[in-house]
Amino acid sequence: MTDPEHVWRTAYRHPGKWDLSFPPASMVELFEQSAQAHPDAPLLDFMGRRYSYGETLDGANRVACGLAALGYGRGDRIGLFLPNVPHYVAAYYGILKLGATVVNFSPLYSVDELAAQVEDSGTRLLFTLSASALLPTALKVLEQSGLERLVVGSIAGALPPAKSLFYRWFRGSEITPRPHDPRILAFSELIHNDGACAPAAIDPEHDLALIQYTGGTTGTPKGAMLTHQNLSANARQVSLLDPELGKAQDRILGVLPFFHVFANTCVLNRTVLTGGEIVMLPRFNAKQALAELRRTRPRAMPGVPTMYQALLDAPGMKPDDFSSLRFCISGGAPLPQQLKEHFEQVSGARLIEGYGLSESSGVVSTNPYEGLNKPGTIGQPIAGTRVRLVDKEDPTRPPPPGEPGEIVVSGPQIMKGYWNRPDADAQVFVEVDGEGHWLRTGDVGTIDEDGYIRIVDRLKDMIAVGGFKVFPSQIEQVLYQHPAVKEALVIGLPDAYHGELPHAYVTLNEGAKAEGPEICVWLNGKLGKHERVAGVVVRESLPKTMIGKLSRKDLLAEVRGGA
């Protein structure tokens, strides 16, 4: 086929040029530039309470000074165990101004999960909220790990007075931290200073801004080390995708959780860079998201496929609810073509599939906002990003002609490495044509004549059927063509004769009626002999990850555990 890099140089579908470079810049620089350019402009809208850039910068300065007064500084790891609340943004940028490293933790973590990552990262201090879903977990981790302190915020103070119902909902779940425990400090006490301490000098290309733990889909989660330059480059790369950048009001609905790398780049960092406004929701709820769409009229809403499906299925949804939206970025999981078409038809917005990893600071490639979209592909690479295919068995050589290969990536957003895991670094980085530091993604794909990348499957998910390699995502794509099927997952289970056989699990659209054997007959009639599934199981629900994408790993563990 045509050299894809030649295609990206001569027929690039995104705005601007593909082969751009991004000068080193710290995350603090990008934030302060926006705050100085328009200090009174709104940065955050939290349930109607608005925070300006100047106000948020002042909060970040006070966080940095408060931490410095406690003895924390350059290189220390400081954790965020928070949902999408204003405290997150002030703490995030305050930690970075200190020269310290943010460690993101999911608010859904159990005590054991949080403690393991606190220990692994060497996190010294943890920000959290006085909510019953968070504080008890954080207190237990304080007792059984090397964690030194908790900084505890109250949600009530971040809300406008008019939000009485929401206020009561949170107040009912708030608990009081232990009194007189010197290890526990209120967020309000931490920021009780003038914010006038000297900021740290930051080397963007070497200093770590963020340790982002992987989803653990290939074993124990590993901490991806992302430098200031990794994050700032990816924010700049993503902002350049928008053909209306600087021409329209930049308001984005932040329903994705900031602790996840997708939202960290595509909602938080990118919007701060452009001087836009983030409408924050502490968690995704379809009814509440629709209400915020109606109230604030944002033009963009990144999400995962299950979020878009939930919005379409929400009782009382009206097409006009989406009328302000221009672009919606879908990531985290494959976007079914039927869902893309249905959402675009109802909303009038463009639903665009993209791709990225924790190790790539968020984004590697995406379909263009305008122009040629190819359903089932992840589009072309974003500016400054190189993508190649290598042999699935030997990543030092190209794949056989005409065959899929493992996707490897190089660019300014690719992580420095894994925290304290040189063994994992040796496995994940590969030299290609004499050039080192190409990231092995573990995803198998193809690149077509237009330079669009298609993911076939994950290396680890391939099912070995009597010597043949079967890709479960290809079977799932066929399942989504069945009119009754809403969600689908395919996993490989042991078989005495074939070694493994694919098994399918589905949920059905509302009001649809279909039995597993019936769907199985329909499906196998459309598959090659070695791809045919042993059975189809209709379920009420399928397991999902913390950000709402379907989880093949959890389904496999559930099915094998119950066998």
Side-chain angles (χ1 to χ4, degrees):
M1 63 159 283
T2 306
D3 174 19
E5 294 199 0
H6 175 74
V7 175
W8 300 328
R9 285 191 180 94
T10 59
Y12 197 50
R13 303 282 184 160
H14 297 303
K17 296 173 62 178
W18 166 68
D19 49 352
L20 292 178
S21 60
F22 295 86
S26 77
M27 292 295 296
V28 175
E29 287 178 68
L30 299 189
F31 177 41
E32 291 188 334
Q33 285 169 7
S34 289
Q36 290 162 7
H38 31 73
D40 298 325
L43 168 54
L44 306 175
D45 179 316
F46 184 62
M47 312 301 293
R49 164 76 161 90
R50 300 179 103 184
Y51 296 79
S52 70
Y53 273 82
E55 190 177 358
T56 309
L57 175 59
D58 179 64
N61 288 338
R62 290 168 182 266
V63 167
C65 293
L67 291 172
L70 292 173
Y72 298 101
R74 186 182 184 85
D76 283 331
R77 275 81 63 202
I78 298 177
L80 300 180
F81 186 50
L82 294 166
N84 290 8
V85 289
H87 309 74
Y88 183 103
V89 182
Y92 178 79
Y93 284 106
I95 294 165
L96 296 180
K97 289 202 71 167
L98 186 69
T101 300
V102 173
V103 188
N104 268 332
F105 300 111
S106 166
L108 302 180
Y109 277 164
S110 68
V111 172
D112 289 343
E113 288 171 321
L114 179 59
Q117 291 184 14
V118 162
E119 285 294 294
D120 182 71
S121 61
T123 293
R124 297 181 62 192
L125 179 146
L126 188 70
F127 283 84
T128 191
L129 294 178
S130 56
S132 60
L134 296 170
L135 186 55
T137 298
L139 289 170
K140 289 177 183 175
V141 172
L142 182 63
E143 298 300 338
Q144 64 184 59
S145 73
L147 191 64
E148 298 168 1
R149 292 178 186 267
L150 296 180
V151 173
V152 183
S154 168
I155 195 69
L159 289 165
K163 291 289 179 183
S164 56
L165 288 177
F166 198 74
Y167 174 84
R168 286 200 296 271
W169 181 80
F170 264 113
R171 287 295 290 181
S173 66
E174 281 196 318
I175 56 178
T176 304
R178 297 172 188 161
H180 314 303
D181 188 331
R183 299 173 300 170
I184 301 172
L185 186 67
F187 188 91
S188 57
E189 291 181 60
L190 179 77
I191 63 173
H192 190 64
N193 60 72
D194 61 7
C197 57
I202 295 170
D203 180 342
E205 294 185 291
H206 295 94
D207 288 349
L208 294 187
L210 179 65
I211 295 178
Q212 183 73 44
Y213 278 88
T214 62
T217 54
T218 55
T220 303
K222 300 180 287 288
M225 297 189 293
L226 302 175
T227 66
H228 281 260
Q229 172 65 356
N230 290 153
L231 294 181
S232 71
N234 208 220
R236 287 173 279 173
Q237 290 169 310
V238 170
S239 71
L240 291 174
L241 298 170
D242 188 348
E244 297 178 355
L245 184 65
K247 302 174 185 176
Q249 186 177 29
D250 190 9
R251 182 179 293 128
I252 191 168
L253 186 62
V255 294
L256 283 170
F258 287 170
F259 68 80
H260 192 274
V261 73
F262 182 8
N264 185 267
T265 284
C266 291
V267 179
L268 180 58
N269 298 341
R270 167 253 171 227
T271 307
V272 166
L273 168 69
T274 64
E277 179 182 4
I278 303 168
V279 179
M280 303 173 68
L281 282 175
R283 60 182 183 182
F284 175 73
N285 172 279
K287 181 179 178 181
Q288 195 173 50
L290 288 172
E292 291 298 282
L293 285 172
R294 289 190 290 268
R295 181 179 71 85
T296 64
R297 313 305 292 166
R299 62 186 287 270
M301 183 187 68
V304 296
T306 51
M307 288 180 179
Y308 297 113
Q309 185 65 60
L311 291 171
L312 292 173
D313 293 342
M317 180 277 291
K318 298 184 179 70
D320 186 60
D321 295 340
F322 305 105
S323 61
S324 66
L325 292 175
R326 292 279 289 121
F327 308 112
C328 294
I329 307 299
S330 179
L335 175 66
Q337 184 173 349
Q338 293 83 351
L339 174 56
K340 172 181 168 63
E341 292 173 352
H342 186 200
F343 187 84
E344 290 182 338
Q345 179 185 14
V346 171
S347 70
R350 195 77 178 267
L351 184 54
I352 302 149
E353 184 167 8
Y355 167 77
L357 312 96
S358 298
E359 293 89 342
S360 70
S361 306
V363 184
V364 167
S365 68
T366 182
N367 275 275
Y369 284 32
E370 295 179 345
L372 179 63
N373 261 232
K374 290 193 174 187
T377 77
I378 54 171
Q380 293 184 335
I382 60 177
T385 304
R386 302 178 70 188
V387 176
R388 292 190 183 180
L389 303 179
V390 297
D391 188 85
K392 297 189 293 290
E393 307 295 333
D394 181 358
T396 64
R397 66 185 187 192
E403 288 193 15
E406 183 181 1
I407 297 169
V408 296
V409 184
S410 176
Q413 72 272 47
I414 301 303
M415 70 172 182
K416 191 174 183 178
Y418 289 119
W419 178 259
N420 285 338
R421 291 293 304 273
D423 58 323
D425 289 349
Q427 295 295 318
V428 79
F429 288 118
V430 65
E431 185 173 294
V432 178
D433 293 340
E435 301 176 22
H437 213 68
W438 286 76
L439 176 74
R440 296 182 63 185
T441 66
D443 289 310
V444 179
T446 60
I447 304 176
D448 69 16
E449 66 281 358
D450 293 316
Y452 282 60
I453 306 160
R454 183 182 300 273
I455 293 179
V456 178
D457 225 306
R458 296 234 358 124
L459 280 175
K460 69 177 185 61
D461 287 335
M462 287 192 299
I463 303 169
V465 182
F468 291 96
K469 299 290 187 183
V470 175
F471 299 110
S473 66
Q474 291 184 324
I475 302 174
E476 290 162 5
Q477 287 175 13
V478 177
L479 274 166
Y480 278 115
Q481 297 172 18
H482 191 287
V485 172
K486 179 178 180 179
E487 299 171 320
L489 281 175
V490 173
I491 58 175
L493 295 176
D495 179 79
Y497 180 72
H498 295 93
E500 284 186 301
L501 280 177
H503 292 247
Y505 297 79
V506 302
T507 62
L508 303 182
N509 291 310
E510 187 175 354
K513 294 182 179 179
E515 300 293 333
E518 168 196 340
I519 299 174
C520 186
V521 170
W522 174 90
L523 174 64
N524 283 339
K526 298 179 179 295
L527 298 175
K529 185 176 180 181
H530 63 282
E531 295 176 310
R532 292 174 185 167
V533 302
V536 175
V537 177
V538 176
R539 293 175 39 135
E540 288 294 319
S541 64
L542 291 172
K544 296 179 176 68
T545 68
M546 64 185 70
I547 65 164
K549 68 178 182 179
L550 293 170
S551 175
R552 194 178 287 143
K553 180 189 78 167
D554 288 340
L555 176 64
L556 188 60
E558 180 184 322
V559 171
R560 286 185 170 172

